[in-house]
Amino acid sequence: MDLHVVAPRPSPAERDAVDAVLGPPVAGRAGGDRRSPAEEHAARGGHEARARRHLLLPALHAVQARIGWISEPALGYICRRLTVPPAEAYGVATFYSLFSTTPQPPAVAHVCDDIACRLAGAEAVCTDLERALGPAGSASRDGRTTWRRSSCLGQCERAPAALLTVAGEQPLSVAIAPADAGTILNRLEHAATNIPLDHAATGMTRGTEAATAPTIPQVGQSGLRLLARVGTVDPTSLEAYRTAGGYRALERALAIGPDRTIAEVTAARLVGRGGAAFPTGRKWAAVAAAPARPHFVVCNADESEPGTFKDRVLMEADPFAVVEAMTIEGFATGAERGFLYLRAEYPLVAERLANAITQTRAAGLLGPDILGSGLAFEIELRRGAGAYVCGEETALFNSIEGRRGEPRNKPPFPVERGLFGKPTAINNVETLANVLPILVDGAAAYAATGTEGSTGTKLFCLSGHVARPGLYEVPFGTTLGELIELAGGVPGGRSIQAILLGGAAGTFVGPDRLDTPLTFEGTRAIGASLGSGVVMVFDETTNLVEILLRIAAFFRDESCGQCVPCRVGTVRQEELLRRLAEGRPHGTPADELALLAEIARAMRDASICGLGQTASSAIESALRQPGLVNLVSQ
């Protein structure tokens, strides 16, 4: 069926942005961009044209970065080049929060108002910006700048945070943390002063304008495994990484072969560190044994859980380790291609990873013949565009494939039919980082740390009301109280009111749980979970009702809308909580709380993916604790 895209011609800048990703148009009818989808199919071959669908997100990113938004002509041009139906492409472009299909200024400040940033004064920052620039989303008088509220930007240990994006010929993306209104306004003014609408020459450095305080309080300490190189080895130098022991793990994997590599990971009893805790060795073995070809490996670096920043720190400070671990995974599972899916809110990470991939490829550590072994493996870096749900593995696959990031029904599971319908091993960054010490030190040495059910060490993201927020590595079995003391305890001598474990999808516990061992089995015993390693502390001054309302709003906004229980349930949950907080319940408060429990049960039992299944977890856990939250306004 021919697709007729009716839209004005794209501007030269829009065409150039798309062509930089897709390559020049195949020669055909005069005018190039006016060639029909049928001609593109004929010129490339129908199969090849369809196989390029996965380039849709990179093409949309290119236009957004060049122009500041995705216009109808630009979208139409992408559709013609990729032979994607316009309705589908529009559905993808509108799915992700960092894409805009309506005109907006080239310089945008995305200001986080999520939980950790809210504790650190984000609302005051937003109030000051509104006073200076107008309501969120409104353009400045000169039309060059605007600001928006954002969900978690993954800078929780140096909150409050903002992300500044500047579109143009030299697009920039800069994370500012900690951020105040004055700093944000100065950056916006600098961007507006130096860019015409089609050019960005701000003079700002790329990446993250890091806080002066270290976010790795343990830097340089002995006994660290995952953080051993963080803060002590140049993250931009392959030579420095190899001098510090890098690529010893890959060399051992190549020496012992793929089967024994998987056996080592299995014997170490490594389980996933993203929250599901599935045995990594079993996953790798299933993909390796799958008869369908090709196999793929995917690194899930779409770290978007509020309160979580562990993967960001690892990738910023030890990017070559991620590349090495993915290469080992590819070798073990029989995959020749890997995708590293990174959330777009991490600009410095994107630079560091791209540099690491380039350097390793040049050194023969990626490519057709790695270390002269005959192993062929390549890694492609892909950026998300602002969608929490893409942290779910099948939604992530859809996103890479150029589709809306909506989860798929399971089974089939990714080890059978994953990315592009082929067997796929997918792990998050922290899980992959554990593979290196397992292979270097041996499975027995690795499993000697921790407990029988939780081996090794664990990264914890401490934020909120602690003296030294940051990323901490401790052996499994360390108690919650010991970890908080390691972070300096609560400042000002104030007492702990509550602790959020696992992020917005996690569980609130009270100070009576400080003796809980931080293990998978220990947290399960108290009805909680480690989740993504979030430990967010709330002191006695915190209004927990506001925190619960923000969590409910987060899930309302981030639900992909594919299934009714989640799409409707997250909205009704947020509405009900707000009614109670404002003292206008429908019926008695007891009736409302019963309805809230019913909504939670429906989401938990009938939602397609973990987003809907856990959208009520933190809220329900807070309400279960007597006296912790008074939802009825006085």
Side-chain angles (χ1 to χ4, degrees):
M1 179 179 68
D2 195 3
L3 300 174
H4 297 278
V5 181
V6 180
R9 290 171 58 89
S11 69
E14 291 169 328
R15 282 185 49 129
D16 290 346
V18 174
D19 291 347
V21 174
L22 304 183
V26 174
R29 181 190 305 177
D33 63 301
R34 291 177 292 178
R35 182 176 56 258
S36 73
E39 290 171 321
E40 183 82 26
H41 255 64
R44 291 189 178 274
H47 180 74
E48 181 185 349
R50 287 191 297 272
R52 286 160 54 85
R53 168 70 181 257
H54 69 97
L55 295 174
L56 178 55
L57 244 68
L60 293 173
H61 267 300
V63 174
Q64 179 85 23
R66 180 66 182 84
I67 308 301
W69 65 290
I70 300 165
S71 69
E72 183 182 351
L75 189 63
Y77 183 59
I78 293 171
C79 291
R80 285 192 288 271
R81 294 297 317 279
L82 293 178
T83 66
V84 175
E88 288 190 22
Y90 181 78
V92 172
T94 54
F95 183 84
Y96 299 92
S97 64
L98 292 181
F99 289 149
S100 175
T101 55
T102 57
Q104 69 174 4
V108 182
H110 304 267
V111 182
C112 178
D113 69 348
D114 223 310
I115 313 172
C117 286
R118 186 173 291 263
L119 292 178
E123 277 303 307
V125 174
C126 291
T127 298
D128 290 344
L129 289 175
E130 185 168 0
R131 189 179 298 117
L133 298 176
S138 60
S140 59
R141 270 175 255 164
D142 60 8
R144 297 177 184 274
T145 64
T146 188
W147 73 284
R148 300 183 184 279
R149 289 176 177 263
S150 171
S151 58
C152 184
L153 294 173
Q155 306 280 346
C156 313
E157 84 280 27
R158 46 197 184 198
L163 175 71
L164 177 62
T165 59
V166 184
E169 291 177 2
Q170 299 174 0
L172 297 177
S173 184
V174 181
I176 308 169
D180 54 54
T183 302
I184 295 169
L185 289 169
N186 285 339
R187 299 296 187 273
L188 284 172
E189 182 181 358
H190 191 87
T193 301
N194 289 280
I195 54 171
L197 293 181
D198 63 345
H199 180 67
T202 66
M204 293 187 298
T205 57
R206 295 171 182 267
T208 301
E209 299 187 5
T212 54
T215 59
I216 313 297
Q218 297 169 297
V219 65
Q221 289 183 11
S222 61
L224 300 177
R225 286 178 174 174
L226 308 181
L227 299 181
R229 286 178 294 269
V230 172
T232 63
V233 176
D234 181 0
T236 66
S237 169
L238 175 59
E239 180 182 359
Y241 176 70
R242 299 194 75 172
T243 300
Y247 280 93
R248 287 172 54 203
L250 176 60
E251 289 169 355
R252 179 159 188 258
L254 293 173
I256 64 177
D259 291 343
R260 284 189 58 195
T261 296
I262 294 175
E264 284 282 286
V265 174
T266 303
R269 303 195 298 280
L270 173 65
V271 300
R273 300 297 200 245
F278 189 85
T280 305
R282 190 190 307 173
K283 181 184 296 186
W284 287 18
V287 174
R293 295 285 170 170
H295 296 174
F296 292 100
V297 299
V298 173
C299 175
N300 183 349
D302 191 55
E303 177 184 60
S304 306
E305 183 70 43
T308 311
F309 50 88
K310 59 186 177 63
D311 291 351
R312 189 207 85 227
V313 173
L314 285 176
M315 292 183 289
E316 279 182 4
D318 204 7
F320 292 99
V322 183
V323 174
E324 181 183 4
M326 285 188 70
T327 307
I328 293 169
E329 184 181 24
F331 169 68
T333 59
E336 295 187 354
R337 191 177 181 190
F339 286 85
L340 199 162
Y341 187 92
L342 174 68
R343 69 178 305 202
E345 292 89 343
Y346 287 172
L348 180 59
V349 171
E351 292 176 20
R352 294 272 170 86
L353 287 172
N355 171 67
I357 291 170
T358 298
Q359 287 195 43
T360 51
R361 186 180 294 122
L365 296 167
L366 280 178
D369 186 20
I370 295 173
L371 291 175
S373 66
L375 170 64
F377 186 71
E378 269 292 356
I379 295 175
E380 186 171 342
L381 181 62
R382 286 296 177 88
R383 288 187 301 147
Y388 168 78
V389 72
C390 286
E392 197 278 335
E393 56 191 11
T394 61
L396 186 153
F397 297 154
N398 276 338
S399 186
I400 291 177
E401 292 173 13
R403 306 179 190 283
R404 291 167 63 89
E406 296 174 337
R408 305 171 184 173
N409 285 313
K410 291 183 284 191
F413 294 98
V415 296
E416 304 168 63
R417 292 189 61 188
L419 185 64
F420 304 119
K422 300 299 182 181
T424 303
I426 178 169
N427 298 105
N428 75 351
V429 174
E430 185 187 356
T431 306
L432 289 172
N434 277 275
V435 171
L436 305 185
I438 288 172
L439 288 173
V440 170
D441 301 328
Y446 178 90
T449 301
T451 67
E452 180 67 22
S454 303
T455 60
T457 60
K458 179 75 183 80
L459 296 178
F460 288 99
C461 310
L462 269 77
S463 63
H465 296 136
V466 291
R468 292 188 296 275
L471 186 62
Y472 290 82
E473 179 182 1
V474 296
F476 276 112
T478 302
T479 68
L480 179 58
E482 289 169 341
L483 180 63
I484 292 174
E485 282 304 309
L486 190 61
V490 179
R494 295 187 294 273
S495 61
I496 295 175
Q497 180 180 182
I499 304 156
L500 180 59
L501 297 179
T507 311
F508 281 98
V509 299
D512 57 323
R513 298 297 190 180
L514 290 176
D515 61 347
T516 300
L518 293 173
T519 60
F520 295 111
E521 61 273 22
T523 51
R524 276 196 298 267
I526 64 168
S529 70
L530 293 180
S532 56
V534 173
V535 177
M536 193 178 299
V537 179
F538 303 87
D539 71 16
E540 60 196 22
T541 68
T542 307
N543 183 339
L544 282 182
V545 173
E546 289 184 3
I547 301 302
L548 296 188
L549 288 171
R550 184 62 185 89
I551 291 173
F554 172 81
F555 284 109
R556 177 204 64 204
D557 292 341
E558 295 296 340
S559 172
C560 76
Q562 180 182 198
C563 68
V564 173
C566 180
R567 181 177 71 240
V568 177
T570 53
V571 173
R572 295 294 174 255
Q573 175 177 258
E574 196 263 349
E575 290 174 346
L576 193 154
L577 286 173
R578 196 163 295 281
R579 288 200 304 268
L580 283 173
E582 294 174 358
R584 46 183 185 86
H586 291 177
T588 68
D591 292 336
E592 290 280 55
L593 291 175
L595 178 57
L596 184 64
E598 185 177 342
I599 292 170
R601 185 166 55 252
M603 288 194 291
R604 188 167 51 250
D605 293 345
S607 294
I608 288 176
C609 81
L611 189 154
Q613 294 163 10
T614 60
S616 64
S617 297
I619 293 167
E620 285 191 294
S621 67
L623 297 179
R624 279 197 300 266
Q625 300 186 52
L628 185 61
V629 178
N630 181 13
L631 268 174
V632 183
S633 176
Q634 300 300 318

